[in-house]
């Protein structure tokens, strides 16, 4: 059976305009009602939209539950055809019934371009507050644009999606960003990177995963006969399967004390 490889999709997230109220929602509470800051939003937002070019990339993978010892003492999500394994109960609970796992990367622009614009526009603390709020608003809008694109692809397949789960959120480890960065080629395509611990070198970039789901699969037990990956499954090739047992996550010390 021929398998079509999923390609990295690049999405133009260019933003033509930002509404003042939208930007104001990203201001710190200490300056939300400051008229001097509010008056700076419109001109700074216009320059940001003119000068910065948000972009995003995503890639679709086929997920499989991975509980193979000795390396995986807790359930993980293996992305078929790669060396990537996503850990943590949050991502596991989302992806164990997903048809596809989508890696997503979004950036407002390169760190260099943002810093160059910051030097031009920021002259005092009021400018700084307005500028940073504009960047956050652009980042949020760019995430919406790429999510809409992923949602359209899901609908074309008869699927629906959940919301973005970022590394570092809940118990999805921050160092998962190194895998997300590698498989989306975000460093080369979008111009940002991450440290060894997974922290990003840009506050205006986002990495995460989104699941694609078939509503008819909810609550159904996984089985090789129903799996679309059965003809090329690497786990079946070694005489095992991904659904023979569901692993259990270790309880935290706090949870252990509660149940003691």
């Amino acid at each position: 059976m021929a398998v079509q490889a999923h390609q990295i999709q690049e999405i133009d997230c260019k933003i033509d305009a930002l509404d003042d109220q939208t930007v104001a929602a990203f201001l710190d509470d200490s300056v939300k009602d400051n008229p001097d800051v509010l008056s700076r939003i419109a001109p700074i937002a216009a320059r940001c939209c003119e000068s910065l070019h948000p972009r995003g990339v995503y890639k679709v993978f086929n997920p499989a539950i991975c509980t193979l010892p000795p390396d995986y003492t807790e359930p993980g999500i293996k992305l078929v055809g790669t060396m990537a394994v996503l850990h943590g109960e949050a991502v596991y609970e989302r992806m164990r019934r997903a048809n596809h796992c989508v890696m997503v990367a979004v950036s407002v622009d390169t760190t260099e371009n943002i810093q160059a614009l910051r030097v031009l526009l920021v002259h005092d603390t009021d400018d700084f507050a307005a500028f940073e709020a504009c960047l956050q608003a652009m980042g949020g809008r760019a995430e919406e644009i790429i999510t809409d694109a992923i949602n359209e692809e899901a609908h074309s397949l008869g699927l629906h999606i959940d919301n973005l789960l970022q590394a570092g959120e809940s118990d999805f480890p921050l160092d998962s960003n190194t895998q997300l960065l590698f498989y989306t080629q975000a460093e080369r395509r979008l111009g940002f990177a991450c440290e060894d611990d997974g922290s990003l070198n840009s506050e205006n970039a986002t990495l995460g995963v989104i699941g694609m789901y078939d509503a008819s699969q909810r609550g159904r037990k996984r089985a090789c006969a129903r799996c679309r990956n059965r003809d090329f499954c690497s786990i079946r090739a070694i005489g095992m399967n991904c659904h023979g047992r569901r692993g259990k996550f270790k309880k935290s010390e706090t949870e252990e004390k509660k149940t003691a």
Side-chain angles (χ1 to χ4, degrees), residues 214-241:
D214 181 345
S216 67
Q217 295 295 316
R218 288 179 179 171
R220 294 183 67 187
K221 183 178 179 181
R222 297 173 74 96
C224 292
R226 291 198 297 265
C227 181
R228 66 183 64 197
N229 304 322
R230 62 183 180 273
D231 293 331
F232 51 94
C233 177
S234 58
I235 299 177
R236 292 185 74 210
I238 60 174
M240 302 185 72
N241 61 58

Side-chain angles (χ1 to χ4, degrees), residues 120-172:
L120 288 175
L121 299 181
V122 176
H123 305 291
D124 56 30
T125 55
D126 292 341
D127 287 341
F128 177 82
F131 184 76
E132 294 303 315
C134 286
L135 292 180
Q136 292 182 54
M138 292 186 79
R141 179 63 188 127
E143 287 180 29
E144 291 176 357
I145 292 171
I146 195 168
T147 300
D148 287 344
I150 294 169
N151 196 37
E152 286 185 11
E153 179 168 344
H155 283 174
S156 72
L157 300 172
L159 306 174
H160 65 276
I161 67 172
D162 61 3
N163 57 310
L164 181 72
L165 176 67
Q166 297 183 47
E169 184 180 347
S170 187
D171 67 342
F172 187 22

